[in-house]
Amino acid sequence: MVAAKTSKGGPFEEEEFLELRRLHAEGKGRNEIATLMQRSPRTISVYAKQLQLNFDRTATAVATEARKVDAKARRAAIIERAYGRVEKLLDHLDAAERGGFPFTTSTVNGIETERLDHVPGQEEKALAGAITQYLNQAVKLEQLDGDPGVEAARSMLGTLAEGLNKLAGLDGGGDDSEEG
């Protein structure tokens, strides 16, 4: 075995070529060899190529595939959370329509909380916009993984988002009075 060099630069010496061949034959990877020989991974790659030595990329491929699987699982969890948030916002709108949810309003006397028999225009517009954003982001994440049925989901969610936007735009943006 070659003693550790004090200098990490400079061309390979004959002993280093032999050491590189031996470590490669033991199945060590490029980065491990670089550490053992106190050389940069790039230097090891250059000299390994000269010696026609190839490093097995199986471990790299397995690690890359594992990262892809982990990322897909994380996206699925985020998608579930987005749909959960949409459901909560829709429940909020439904409860408000039944007079069961208090809204904070500004009055001449300050800020007051009251139960209304309708959703104030600005609040409905804000909620519809948030719902649309959550749905759009969920669809984009689903498209990354090419899940079957994404086109149908996008169509359905797009229609829902379009309807919510129209609903939010019909109220005039602030007139809370109901016509009837």
Side-chain angles (χ1 to χ4, degrees), residues 30-39 44:
R30 182 197 67 167
N31 291 347
E32 185 178 1
I33 293 172
T35 300
L36 291 170
M37 294 184 69
Q38 297 184 346
R39 293 288 195 143
I44 298 301

Side-chain angles (χ1 to χ4, degrees), residues 21-32:
R21 278 189 189 280
R22 184 184 68 74
L23 293 171
H24 182 270
E26 289 177 7
K28 299 203 183 313
R30 182 197 67 167
N31 291 347
E32 185 178 1

Side-chain angles (χ1 to χ4, degrees), residues 7-29:
S7 170
K8 295 181 184 179
F12 255 31
E13 296 175 10
E14 186 60 33
E15 305 87 42
E16 288 179 298
F17 282 107
L18 296 172
E19 181 75 357
L20 176 55
R21 278 189 189 280
R22 184 184 68 74
L23 293 171
H24 182 270
E26 289 177 7
K28 299 203 183 313

Side-chain angles (χ1 to χ4, degrees), residues 71-166:
K72 184 175 182 176
R74 290 174 72 190
R75 283 190 298 274
I78 291 169
I79 290 166
E80 282 300 311
R81 290 178 64 193
Y83 285 139
R85 182 61 90 180
V86 166
E87 289 170 348
K88 285 181 182 179
L89 291 174
L90 289 170
D91 289 344
H92 182 79
L93 282 170
D94 290 344
E97 285 294 326
R98 294 187 300 272
F101 199 89
F103 284 95
T104 302
T105 57
S106 297
T107 64
V108 176
N109 300 326
I111 297 175
E112 296 179 7
T113 300
E114 58 184 303
R115 291 193 183 277
L116 303 173
D117 61 355
H118 65 282
V119 179
Q122 287 300 97
E123 282 80 358
E124 184 161 344
K125 186 175 184 178
L127 289 170
I131 289 168
T132 300
Q133 285 182 319
Y134 286 127
L135 292 174
N136 286 338
Q137 291 308 313
V139 168
K140 286 179 184 178
L141 287 173
E142 287 172 336
Q143 288 174 333
L144 287 176
D145 297 321
D147 288 343
V150 169
E151 287 304 314
R154 181 172 26 171
S155 175
M156 184 268 306
L157 293 174
T159 302
L160 177 61
E162 188 176 306
L164 288 169
N165 281 333
K166 285 181 183 176

Side-chain angles (χ1 to χ4, degrees), residues 39-62:
R39 293 288 195 143
S40 73
R42 168 111 173 88
T43 298
I44 298 301
S45 293
V46 167
Y47 288 112
K49 186 175 181 180
Q50 285 181 15
L51 295 172
Q52 297 180 344
L53 302 175
N54 294 313
F55 292 101
D56 182 15
R57 299 230 184 245
T58 305
T60 303
V62 169

